[in-house]
Amino acid sequence: MTNTTDPRPLYREALAWTTGLIDTVREDQLTASTPCADFDVRTLLGHLVATAERARVIGEGGDPGTVPLVVTDIPGDGYGDAYRSATERMWPLWTDDDRLDATVTAPWGTVPGRAAIWGYINETLVHGWDLAIATGQPPETRPELAEAMLAVARHAIPAETRGGHVPFADVVEPLPAAGPTERLANWSGRKSV
């Protein structure tokens, strides 16, 4: 799927879903823990903004390592606007179809542009799930979107190569009733809650 599929429509959908989640986060939830052990809600929101900024830098042909892992200078009620602004700056760089096959530098290596986009779809959906769980929101995106990403993730993030330079915990066995977004989060090492 990653070799020929245009991931941009799915990325746009993932970003829209996550934007909706961000918009409903209350300031009193910013210190809540999330299923991602590295982040509370505030730092997770700052990380989501950073992922859109990194996708922009990648689209420019730059090094995403120049963008911090977490954007920290956002007021408590400004995450939705910051995320929207970051995605709006990023999209024009990815409208050229040639960017999909151009070689780019992603945090995980030198890859075709479409592989970088797939990586950020995964990041957006899994961290969207984290945010939804932490803030009591519905944690499932459109099933077909999550299933498409899960199919790519199973190939791109093998279960056997976790830890070290691969920043994913071991795959978690999904609960029988887990939806596709939760199963994607499980594949990324998140425990069901």
Side-chain angles (χ1 to χ4, degrees):
M1 181 176 287
T2 59
N3 291 336
T4 60
T5 302
D6 182 348
R8 293 172 297 185
L10 298 177
Y11 189 30
R12 186 176 291 279
E13 183 180 354
L15 290 165
W17 178 66
T18 302
T19 299
L21 295 171
I22 292 170
D23 282 343
T24 61
V25 173
R26 300 183 318 266
E27 285 196 58
D28 66 315
Q29 295 174 315
L30 294 176
T31 58
S33 62
T34 73
C36 181
D38 295 334
F39 301 127
D40 63 7
V41 169
R42 181 187 307 275
T43 53
L44 177 60
L45 292 168
H47 178 64
L48 282 164
V49 173
T51 63
E53 291 289 349
R54 286 181 169 208
R56 176 188 53 79
V57 170
I58 290 168
E60 293 172 336
D63 176 3
T66 61
V67 176
L69 187 63
V70 176
V71 176
T72 58
D73 59 349
I74 301 170
D77 63 351
Y79 287 100
D81 289 340
Y83 193 62
R84 266 188 294 285
S85 177
T87 60
E88 288 168 5
R89 286 191 306 273
M90 178 259 303
W91 270 118
L93 300 166
W94 288 101
T95 57
D96 181 354
D97 292 345
D98 291 341
R99 293 301 303 153
L100 294 177
D101 296 314
T103 300
V104 299
T105 301
W108 53 91
T110 303
V111 297
R114 79 180 65 242
I117 294 294
W118 278 113
Y120 282 104
I121 295 169
N122 187 71
E123 186 102 359
T124 301
L125 291 178
V126 171
H127 284 313
W129 183 85
D130 291 334
L131 183 62
I133 294 297
T135 59
Q137 299 184 62
E140 289 293 324
T141 189
R142 184 174 64 87
E144 294 82 4
L145 170 59
E147 291 286 1
M149 185 61 244
L150 182 56
V152 171
R154 285 185 172 141
H155 172 72
I157 313 166
E160 300 79 29
T161 59
R162 303 299 174 99
H165 72 283
V166 180
F168 294 91
D170 290 339
V171 173
V172 172
E173 183 67 30
L175 297 173
T181 311
E182 183 174 346
R183 290 195 313 274
L184 176 62
N186 296 151
W187 188 261
S188 293
R190 302 293 197 278
K191 294 181 179 170
S192 296
V193 291

